[in-house]
């Protein structure tokens, strides 16, 4: 689970040197997974019936992909069992699940079908943008669900302009479970494009008016169109930035925890790739992986608050390789670091405040708060539902 995860992670996040030490992560995985600056390559796999998946995205805003069509008959080289067990080890170490991206095997999963998605499903218009996260949702044991409530992944000022002329979205997410994702352990649910007036047109800025969810679910019949998106282990859900979606609470039961990876693809003109150096067929260096994960933890600090000591180490890890990242991502991380330090998400201290003020001066006034809570898609004020808001 994510709740309390960062607070007990002082061991590995006690210093930059330990977080960047390959042996730290190899030991955590009990020597079953490697962390290498020169990892072995994985042959890309052609996703079956990509045109159908593209059609699903255009029609519904989402598409389900089976394990067989996504990974093929032989996925032994992807080390899915070892990845799953390592996710438990990461959880038990008190770390956020997103640290699984330290491992070569996680990036091999991404690279296995990246080319097919970019070239065929997305028509060459979207590329991997490195907005990565991972989840460990355990309905039977979590004090509070860590699945996000209803939200859109991006809220651009010009929603119609966030689609290409052929209707393909300029941002899509791949959500890939390492366990079966079912209604009992928190699979995704969504409001399909066809019943959502704000999907393409955009949402009203009138905070006193009906919410996007209320507009979409305008009568009882509309509720019958809500869609569950269960997917088997190794399959995936692909959805656009405008799809209203959420993770269900679930009750656990025999299905156990829901554990998954997610990563985004974007039109570079809409949202530049975070990493400058990683190209298709290559895997980020160990330092770049750590910097990316640290940047993500800072960017999502409102959802997964770090302690003051962890926040400081995360910023140092990111700054160590910030020249590897696009300037817009560096500004975003700096902005959110300032917010985390000055708003009290992490306890403040003199050094932290001084660093935050330096980051704020670096940003000046040219970057908006992408994650400012502006209320729920459903009309409540729960701060989770505004997650990952972008103004592009």
């Amino acid at each position: 689970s994510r709740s309390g995860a960062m607070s007990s992670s002082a061991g590995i996040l006690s210093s930059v040197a330990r977080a960047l030490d390959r042996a730290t992560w190899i030991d955590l995985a009990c020597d079953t997974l490697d962390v290498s600056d020169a990892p072995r390559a994985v042959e890309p796999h052609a996703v079956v019936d990509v045109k159908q998946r593209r059609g699903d995205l255009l029609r519904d805003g989402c598409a389900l992909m089976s394990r067989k069509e996504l990974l093929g008959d032989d996925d032994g080289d992807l080390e899915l069992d070892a990845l799953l067990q390592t996710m438990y080890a990461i959880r038990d170490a008190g770390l956020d699940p997103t640290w699984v991206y330290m491992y070569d095997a996680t990036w091999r999963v991404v690279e296995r079908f990246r080319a097919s998605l970019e070239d065929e499903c997305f028509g060459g218009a979207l590329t991997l943008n490195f907005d990565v996260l991972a989840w460990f949702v355990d309905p039977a044991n979590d004090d509070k669900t860590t699945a996000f409530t209803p939200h859109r992944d991006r809220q651009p000022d010009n929603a119609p302009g966030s689609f290409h002329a052929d209707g393909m979205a300029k941002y899509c997410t791949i959500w890939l479970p390492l366990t079966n994702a079912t209604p009992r352990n928190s699979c995704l649910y969504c409001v399909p494009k066809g019943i959502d007036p704000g999907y393409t047109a955009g949402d009203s800025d009138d905070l006193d008016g009906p919410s996007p969810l209320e507009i979409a679910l305008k009568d009882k019949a509309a509720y019958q169109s809500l869609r569950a998106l269960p997917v088997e282990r190794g399959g995936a859900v692909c959805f656009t930035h405008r799809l209203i979606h959420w993770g269900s609470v679930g009750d656990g039961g025999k299905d156990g925890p829901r554990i998954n990876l997610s990563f985004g693809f974007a039109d570079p003109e809409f949202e530049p790739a975070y990493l400058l150096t990683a190209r298709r067929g290559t895997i980020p260096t160990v330092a770049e992986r750590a910097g990316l994960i640290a940047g993500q933890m800072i960017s999502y600090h409102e959802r997964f608050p770090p302690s003051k000591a962890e926040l400081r180490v995360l910023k140092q890890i990111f700054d160590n390789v910030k020249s590897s990242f696009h300037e817009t991502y560096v500004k975003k991380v700096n902005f959110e670091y300032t917010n985390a330090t000055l708003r009290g998400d992490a306890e403040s201290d003199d050094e932290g405040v001084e660093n935050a003020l330096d980051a704020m001066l670096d940003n000046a006034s040219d970057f908006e708060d992408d994650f400012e809570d502006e209320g729920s898609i459903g009309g409540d004020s729960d701060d989770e539902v505004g997650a990952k808001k972008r103004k592009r």
Side-chain angles (χ1 to χ4, degrees):
S1 76
R2 289 185 183 272
S3 54
M6 293 293 290
S7 61
S8 61
S9 60
I12 291 178
L13 293 184
S14 60
S15 72
V16 175
R18 185 161 188 207
L20 294 178
D21 186 358
R22 292 176 55 247
T24 297
W25 302 101
I26 294 172
D27 290 346
L28 185 64
C30 298
D31 295 323
T32 61
L33 296 175
D34 200 6
V35 179
S36 170
D37 277 330
R40 60 185 175 85
V42 166
E43 288 297 320
H45 171 67
V47 179
V48 175
D49 203 7
V50 169
K51 290 183 179 179
Q52 177 61 47
R53 299 298 164 253
R54 181 178 174 86
D56 293 344
L57 277 173
L58 291 172
R59 183 186 66 247
D60 300 326
C62 60
L64 287 170
M65 300 178 180
S66 72
R67 175 191 177 109
K68 181 176 178 61
E69 65 183 349
L70 198 60
L71 299 180
D73 294 323
D74 181 13
D75 57 20
D77 61 337
L78 293 180
E79 304 163 288
L80 294 182
D81 289 335
L83 267 178
L84 180 59
Q85 292 308 309
T86 299
M87 288 286 275
Y88 277 89
I90 290 172
R91 186 274 308 268
D92 293 343
L95 291 163
D96 189 281
T98 301
W99 287 99
V100 76
Y101 285 92
M102 286 299 295
Y103 295 95
D104 300 353
T106 311
W107 292 100
R108 281 197 288 270
V109 171
V110 176
E111 288 295 327
R112 179 67 174 251
F113 52 86
R114 174 182 176 182
S116 182
L117 288 173
E118 288 180 344
D119 293 344
E120 300 181 58
C121 191
F122 304 141
L126 310 186
T127 59
L128 183 70
N129 87 324
F130 298 94
D131 187 359
V132 300
L133 287 173
W135 305 88
F136 194 119
V137 178
D138 190 355
N141 297 301
D142 288 344
D143 294 332
K144 179 183 178 182
T145 185
T146 53
F148 278 172
T149 50
H151 65 284
R152 304 189 196 275
D153 278 353
R154 300 292 188 269
Q155 285 277 22
D157 289 334
N158 177 16
S162 66
F163 293 87
H164 291 105
D166 64 357
M168 177 55 66
K170 294 184 178 179
Y171 189 99
C172 287
T173 296
I174 291 289
W175 191 95
L176 188 147
L178 300 176
T179 59
N180 292 336
T182 74
R184 295 202 67 176
N185 73 353
S186 188
C187 71
L188 292 182
Y189 285 74
C190 74
V191 178
K193 169 186 173 182
I195 66 165
D196 180 5
Y199 177 91
T200 302
D203 300 315
S204 171
D205 292 330
D206 182 5
L207 298 181
D208 295 324
S211 70
L213 199 55
E214 291 169 329
I215 292 172
L217 303 177
K218 61 183 183 303
D219 53 37
K220 290 181 179 180
Y223 282 83
Q224 294 178 293
S225 295
L226 292 179
R227 186 172 303 175
L229 300 170
V231 61
E232 63 188 324
R233 175 191 184 214
V237 183
C238 180
F239 54 90
T240 78
H241 64 305
R242 297 297 296 163
L243 186 78
I244 297 177
H245 63 284
W246 61 95
S248 60
V249 172
D251 61 7
K254 63 181 179 60
D255 291 340
R258 180 260 281 174
I259 302 171
N260 72 282
L261 311 173
S262 73
F263 33 93
F265 292 79
D267 181 328
E269 295 295 321
F270 178 70
E271 188 168 302
Y274 297 171
L275 264 174
L276 297 173
T277 56
R279 297 175 299 278
R280 185 192 293 180
T282 67
I283 294 178
T285 67
V286 173
E288 287 171 343
R289 295 176 218 178
L292 175 61
I293 296 165
Q296 291 294 87
M297 295 301 94
I298 294 170
S299 296
Y300 288 84
H301 68 88
E302 293 179 351
R303 277 80 208 173
F304 324 122
S307 71
K308 63 179 181 180
E310 290 161 350
L311 182 67
R312 195 160 53 243
V313 171
L314 290 171
K315 187 61 163 57
Q316 291 169 351
I317 293 171
F318 179 78
D319 285 346
N320 183 54
V321 287
K322 67 180 181 181
S323 62
S324 296
F325 294 93
H326 194 278
E327 62 178 353
T328 58
Y329 186 63
V330 173
K331 288 182 178 181
K332 179 167 77 72
V333 171
N334 283 341
F335 193 96
E336 295 303 337
Y337 176 75
T338 304
N339 287 340
T341 302
L342 299 183
R343 293 183 179 180
D345 293 318
E347 296 179 46
S348 297
D349 60 10
D350 290 342
E351 182 181 355
V353 170
E354 183 177 351
N355 290 339
L357 291 173
D358 287 342
M360 184 167 59
L361 290 173
D362 287 342
N363 284 307
S365 60
D366 61 350
F367 194 80
E368 298 186 61
D369 183 358
D370 286 346
F371 298 94
E372 181 73 27
D373 174 27
E374 296 187 15
S376 166
I377 285 289
D380 301 324
S381 58
D382 185 338
D383 67 355
E384 287 186 348
V385 296
K388 299 198 290 185
K389 180 173 182 185
R390 296 284 196 277
K391 294 183 178 179
R392 299 289 187 198

